[in-house]
Amino acid sequence: MLDPAKLKKLRRDKCFSQDDLAEHARVNRCPVSTASIKRAELGTPVRYRTAKNLAQALGVEVNLLFSE
């Protein structure tokens, strides 16, 4: 399961709002909706594909987003 705190920290480190991250992901061909980002940051399970796209948009390895 994604670690909501890690995701939020990575997003904020890039100075992205949730909408900004969704737009950045879309432009970089790894689409993630704002709703999916909100759900992930609230701790709701997301699909692996969504996690992969989030990681790509944030410029990190996907395993960095998961709880240890």
Side-chain angles (χ1 to χ4, degrees), residues 2 6-7 10 12 14 19-20 32 38 43 45 47 49 54 57-58 62 66 68:
L2 285 183
K6 285 183 183 178
L7 176 58
L10 287 167
R12 287 183 173 173
K14 298 273 187 182
D19 290 330
D20 292 338
V32 180
K38 286 178 184 179
R47 294 176 184 249
R49 179 179 65 206
L54 282 168
L58 291 166
V62 71
F66 289 96
E68 294 179 13

Side-chain angles (χ1 to χ4, degrees), residues 34-68:
T34 302
S36 291
I37 296 167
K38 286 178 184 179
R39 283 193 298 272
E41 287 187 0
L42 289 173
T44 304
V46 295
R47 294 176 184 249
Y48 181 78
R49 179 179 65 206
T50 301
K52 191 171 121 181
N53 286 349
L54 282 168
Q56 186 176 350
L58 291 166
V60 298
E61 294 292 325
V62 71
N63 61 347
L64 187 64
L65 298 178
F66 289 96
S67 302
E68 294 179 13

Side-chain angles (χ1 to χ4, degrees), residues 9-20:
K9 181 182 181 326
L10 287 167
R11 177 178 60 78
R12 287 183 173 173
D13 287 349
K14 298 273 187 182
C15 297
F16 285 147
S17 68
Q18 291 174 337
D19 290 330
D20 292 338

